[in-house]
């Protein structure tokens, strides 16, 4: 029963599982199945998830937000801090973690300051900021880590591909702060629920994060990082091992199985390769609108070697519909829990802002030659 409930809550996991099972009827399980799975990506994802959960548990990100917010004097500065914390921190802690951390915090801050009317614009822009900031680095989101590993890009090449889009996004986010009235605001010292920092644990999490970065940059073997992460967490904080997003990990495994099997069917793989050839960016954007950008990256990458336009497509494709990036659902669910929420108004604002950003970034892709 618990398994069925979990599957209902995660339709992407369910769909990927169904596709994997169906593909087994066409390519029966054999020894080649083992080679389908990218164990390095799974190990790094798992390790990074555990480390990020450790930082969250210590309240590090909220403490940073409280420190910065204490220096704000008006609503424009307040909005800027809340939005750009998501933008910059998502580059290191992933878009999901940024939104899980800062959207509830934003609800609290805006309620305390009597600025509930700003909830919709700020949360919508936070969501856009997290999705766009995270596209700069390999660790910013799961599809980046996967494509970075699969493509064999160096870190310099990866950053050079994504930097122009990140820079344009930064400018757009700054411009989005100016419409509306700017009012004075004061934050009282009411954040008393922040947990004390365990310096020993924090030091261990920083050490593990640096090891993960070493593996991402291909300086260290992923087997070492996985082993060290497991040993350290078993010694200092076993519950963190249960908090990893195993649904996402199994989604990756199921898609690896499906893609591997489809690749062994010449008619299917040739058809998908022809559809993608020369259209990786726009197909990545369009498919993301329907199945979200992580599954799109996993699915499409098996039938093309043009990883640069695909990377751009599934990243800017996180804009658009509410499911284009599953991280966007985090913000929506958090907002939907607030008193007096206006779900229709939120969805309207979300769609309008996302469409505007997406169109501008598509135009940028055309100018940059990635289209």
């Amino acid at each position: 029963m618990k398994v069925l409930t979990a599957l209902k809550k995660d339709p992407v996991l369910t769909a990927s599982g169904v596709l994997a099972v169906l593909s087994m009827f066409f390519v029966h399980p054999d020894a080649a199945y083992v080679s389908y799975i990218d164990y390095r990506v799974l190990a790094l994802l798992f390790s990074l998830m555990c480390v990020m959960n450790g930082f969250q548990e210590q309240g590090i990100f909220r403490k940073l937000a409280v420190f910065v917010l204490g220096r704000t004097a008006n609503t424009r500065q307040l909005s800027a801090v809340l939005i750009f914390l998501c933008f910059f921190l998502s580059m290191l802690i992933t878009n999901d973690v940024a939104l899980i951390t800062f959207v509830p915090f934003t609800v609290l801050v805006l309620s305390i300051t009597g600025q509930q009317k700003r909830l919709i614009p700020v949360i919508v822009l936070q969501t856009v900021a997290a999705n766009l900031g995270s596209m700069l680095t390999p660790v910013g989101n799961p599809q980046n880590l996967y494509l970075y590993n699969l493509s064999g890009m160096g870190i310099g090449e990866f950053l050079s591909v994504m930097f122009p889009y990140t820079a344009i996004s930064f400018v757009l986010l700054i411009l989005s702060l100016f419409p509306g009235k700017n009012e004075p605001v004061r934050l009282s010292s009411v954040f008393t629920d922040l947990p004390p920092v365990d310096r020993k644990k924090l030091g261990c999490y920083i050490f593990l994060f640096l090891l993960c970065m070493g593996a991402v940059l291909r300086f260290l073997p992923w087997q070492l990082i996985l082993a060290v992460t497991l040993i350290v967490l078993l010694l200092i904080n076993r519950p963190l091992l249960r908090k990893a997003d195993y649904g996402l990990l199994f989604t990756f495994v199921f898609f690896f199985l499906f893609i591997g099997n489809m690749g062994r069917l010449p008619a299917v793989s040739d058809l998908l390769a022809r559809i993608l050839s020369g259209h990786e960016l726009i197909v990545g954007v369009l498919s993301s609108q329907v199945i979200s950008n992580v599954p799109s990256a996993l699915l499409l990458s098996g039938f093309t070697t043009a990883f640069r336009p695909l990377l751009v497509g599934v990243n800017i494709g996180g804009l658009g519909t509410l499911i284009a990036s599953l991280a966007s659902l985090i913000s929506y669910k958090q907002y939907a829990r607030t008193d007096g929420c206006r779900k229709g108004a939120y969805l309207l604002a979300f769609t309008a802002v996302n469409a505007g950003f997406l169109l501008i970034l598509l135009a940028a892709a055309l100018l940059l030659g990635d289209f």
Side-chain angles (χ1 to χ4, degrees), residues 120 124 127-128 318 320-322 328 345-355:
I120 290 178
V124 166
T127 306
V128 171
T321 65
L322 191 63
S328 300
Y346 180 93
L347 291 173
L348 183 63
F350 178 90
T351 303
V353 171
N354 273 260

Side-chain angles (χ1 to χ4, degrees), residues 311-367:
L311 175 66
V312 175
V314 294
N315 270 290
I316 65 176
L319 299 168
T321 65
L322 191 63
I323 63 169
S325 168
L326 295 180
S328 300
L329 289 172
I330 294 171
S331 301
Y332 175 71
K333 290 176 181 177
Q334 293 288 346
Y335 172 74
R337 294 182 189 141
T338 62
D339 293 333
C341 67
R342 297 177 294 141
K343 297 178 183 178
Y346 180 93
L347 291 173
L348 183 63
F350 178 90
T351 303
V353 171
N354 273 260
F357 273 73
L358 179 56
L359 288 173
I360 293 171
L361 290 176
L362 282 173
L366 184 62
L367 292 173

Side-chain angles (χ1 to χ4, degrees), residues 60-132:
I60 297 303
F61 308 130
R62 291 189 64 173
K63 290 177 188 292
L64 172 63
V66 169
F67 174 79
V68 178
L69 286 171
R71 287 147 179 79
T72 59
N74 54 60
T75 53
R76 188 165 292 146
Q77 292 177 358
L78 176 63
S79 297
V81 168
L82 295 171
I83 291 165
F84 283 104
L85 278 171
C86 290
F87 183 76
F88 288 110
L89 288 180
S90 67
M91 298 175 185
L92 294 178
I93 68 174
T94 77
N95 51 352
D96 293 36
V97 173
L99 293 173
I100 289 171
T101 302
F102 292 116
V103 172
F105 183 76
T106 296
V107 173
L108 174 63
V109 169
L110 294 182
S111 298
I112 289 170
T113 56
Q115 296 292 330
Q116 291 92 333
K117 62 186 178 183
R118 299 181 186 271
L119 276 174
I120 290 178
V122 171
I123 293 176
V124 166
L125 288 171
Q126 279 184 310
T127 306
V128 171
N131 285 329
L132 294 179

